[in-house]
Amino acid sequence: MEKIFKAAVDRGASDLHIKSGDFFRARINGDLVALTNQKLTADQVKQIALHLMSNEDDKKLIDKIKDYDCSWALDGVGRFRVNIMRQRGSFSIIMRAIPLTVPSFEKLGLPPVMARIAENERGMILVTGVTGSGKSSTMAALVDYINARESGHILTLENPIEFLHQDKKCSVTQREIGSDTEDFQMGLRAALRQDPDVILIGELRDATTIDTAMKAAETGHLLMSTLHTPDATSTVLRMMAMFAPEEQDVVRIRLAESLKAVISQRLLPKATGKGRVVAAEIMIVTPAIRDLILDGQRLGEIKDFIEQGKQQYGMQTFDQCLQDLVMKGDVTFEVAKAAASNPSDFELKMTMFSEHAHGSSGATQVAEPPGEEAPAEVVGMMEGLEIQQ
């Protein structure tokens, strides 16, 4: 089984799917593909689940488990964020692959302004996007940048711990929810007494966590976290909406003062058909944007200010980023148009730009090659697999 994990990761798999009655599947370049021609039995999946669980007490309760999170490492391959669940009475396992090395901003394809964002001494930095949009990698890159350049204490609260950070110029403390601390709220309250300079929270899940996070930012710490929101404007609205209506005016004032930047991400298939590229909207909270948040009635103007701040502040909207990706040939016009916030407006801008630059009536389109077939050495690797009881 571990050979299949390695083969999947070598092909760039982001997630592994293991389910009784189904093939071993992996998400490669955004598509879920079968890597074996033998279906797994319920007992095989149960044994794999036990192999992935490190807590002996939890293993004894395997038959009572309905949802279970943990992390697991495979030497020379990487770490995995593991979710074990019940479906139709049997086990199913989803594993998110986490590389051994922490990526840099350049490797992730993020713009140079990310370094300036990481250099904030206090305040709140949020990385947002749907599940599987690369938020964890961007957060890890922010931590690594600070770790290599500053002298301080970085404290992370994760569920589970994903990227492992070595102490460089900083001392890095990584706490896992459930094993090292009870929950995010308790861990975050305790963090304020643990002399941190930088605090990373895996996710802002509720009003209580957001309130404590803002307190951390207000008391001189740099706090980083994630939200499942599609862009900068909706991030501000979502955070306010988590509070009762009578509290929202105060929350908006606190947010305007503590928020420093929002990085919103989407992953798109590359024009070559191999791999994916990140499209990012980046909002720096300038005095003008701070005023929009304080006003409360003008939040809809945030996108316009981001667009206008590209040259001076390094900000960019999704559509500006997508336009750059198309012009560089990283993604096709059709893929970019489908991902744009306003597809018709995006098409118009691309057409005007293309006519000006090339004298043509449309943007260049790059044909995407057909998907890859699973390699012969992987297909059939599960043939006759026996798992020791």
Side-chain angles (χ1 to χ4, degrees), residues 98-317:
I98 303 163
L100 286 170
T101 56
V102 179
S104 63
F105 299 139
E106 294 77 17
K107 187 174 181 180
L108 294 175
L110 293 167
V113 71
M114 291 296 296
R116 203 156 76 242
I117 291 172
E119 288 164 4
N120 277 289
E121 292 186 4
R122 62 188 65 84
M124 188 183 300
I125 298 169
L126 300 177
V127 182
T128 79
V130 300
T131 301
S133 59
K135 297 188 297 295
S136 296
S137 297
T138 298
M139 293 270 281
L142 284 163
V143 169
D144 192 61
Y145 183 91
I146 296 168
N147 189 16
R149 290 164 178 80
E150 306 294 333
S151 298
H153 181 203
I154 301 172
L155 191 147
T156 78
L157 297 167
E158 303 171 74
N159 184 26
I161 291 172
E162 298 186 326
F163 288 91
L164 294 179
H165 294 277
Q166 304 299 321
D167 297 332
K168 295 182 180 178
K169 289 192 73 175
C170 288
S171 171
V172 184
T173 301
Q174 294 185 263
R175 306 188 73 197
E176 187 163 301
I177 304 301
S179 57
D180 297 321
T181 186
E182 195 67 29
D183 53 36
F184 279 111
Q185 293 176 19
M186 187 174 292
L188 185 52
R189 284 197 298 269
L192 299 179
R193 300 190 296 271
Q194 292 159 358
D195 190 32
D197 297 285
V198 179
I199 304 171
L200 181 147
I201 313 172
E203 184 183 349
L204 295 179
R205 297 167 178 258
D206 50 46
T208 305
T209 309
I210 292 174
D211 177 63
T212 312
M214 285 194 291
K215 284 177 182 173
E218 290 161 354
T219 52
H221 304 89
L222 180 63
L223 185 132
M224 298 184 288
S225 192
T226 69
L227 273 174
H228 293 287
T229 48
D231 54 38
T233 305
S234 62
T235 298
V236 175
L237 290 169
R238 174 76 62 83
M239 292 182 75
M240 289 170 52
M242 287 190 186
F243 292 84
E246 63 272 16
E247 297 178 286
Q248 290 182 6
D249 284 343
V250 174
V251 169
R252 190 173 64 252
I253 294 168
R254 294 176 66 197
L255 194 57
E257 293 302 318
S258 61
L259 190 61
K260 296 297 182 183
V262 177
I263 302 108
S264 302
Q265 300 187 179
R266 300 170 192 170
L267 287 180
L268 305 176
K270 287 185 177 179
T272 59
K274 296 181 179 181
R276 291 185 290 174
V277 63
V278 66
E281 176 173 283
I282 298 178
M283 179 186 80
I284 309 292
V285 181
T286 62
I289 289 180
R290 184 173 292 111
D291 288 342
L292 295 182
I293 298 173
L294 284 169
D295 187 294
Q297 302 301 314
R298 301 175 60 200
L299 294 176
E301 298 177 36
I302 287 177
K303 182 181 173 185
D304 295 332
F305 277 77
I306 294 174
E307 189 170 338
Q308 295 162 16
K310 183 168 185 178
Q311 294 299 324
Q312 183 176 357
Y313 298 105
M315 294 192 276
Q316 62 186 27
T317 64

Side-chain angles (χ1 to χ4, degrees), residues 1-11 16 74-77 80:
M1 179 57 66
E2 292 183 356
K3 290 180 181 178
I4 301 178
F5 291 168
K6 185 178 188 307
V9 171
D10 286 346
R11 293 189 62 208
L16 315 179
L74 179 58
D75 288 344
V77 176
F80 298 85

Side-chain angles (χ1 to χ4, degrees), residues 1-3 5 18 43-56 58-59 62 68 70-75 80 82 84 91 93 95 387-389:
M1 179 57 66
E2 292 183 356
K3 290 180 181 178
F5 291 168
I18 305 166
D43 190 57
Q44 283 178 324
V45 177
K46 180 178 178 180
Q47 295 305 319
I48 295 167
L50 285 166
H51 181 62
L52 298 174
M53 296 167 68
S54 57
N55 189 304
E56 293 299 326
D58 291 342
K59 287 184 180 184
I62 182 73
Y68 185 84
C70 63
S71 56
W72 183 76
L74 179 58
D75 288 344
F80 298 85
V82 180
I84 301 168
F91 288 106
I93 303 167
M95 303 172 65
I387 300 179
Q388 297 298 318
Q389 299 299 315

Side-chain angles (χ1 to χ4, degrees), residues 302-362:
I302 287 177
K303 182 181 173 185
D304 295 332
F305 277 77
I306 294 174
E307 189 170 338
Q308 295 162 16
K310 183 168 185 178
Q311 294 299 324
Q312 183 176 357
Y313 298 105
M315 294 192 276
Q316 62 186 27
T317 64
F318 269 120
D319 290 5
Q320 285 176 317
C321 180
L322 291 168
Q323 184 172 336
D324 290 342
L325 291 173
V326 171
M327 299 314 299
K328 289 190 291 185
D330 289 341
V331 300
T332 67
F333 170 74
E334 289 302 325
V335 165
K337 180 183 172 184
S341 301
N342 188 331
S344 57
D345 186 49
F346 176 78
E347 183 173 19
L348 178 62
K349 287 181 179 178
M350 286 299 299
T351 302
M352 291 172 61
F353 183 86
S354 182
E355 287 175 345
H356 176 74
H358 306 293
S360 70
S361 58

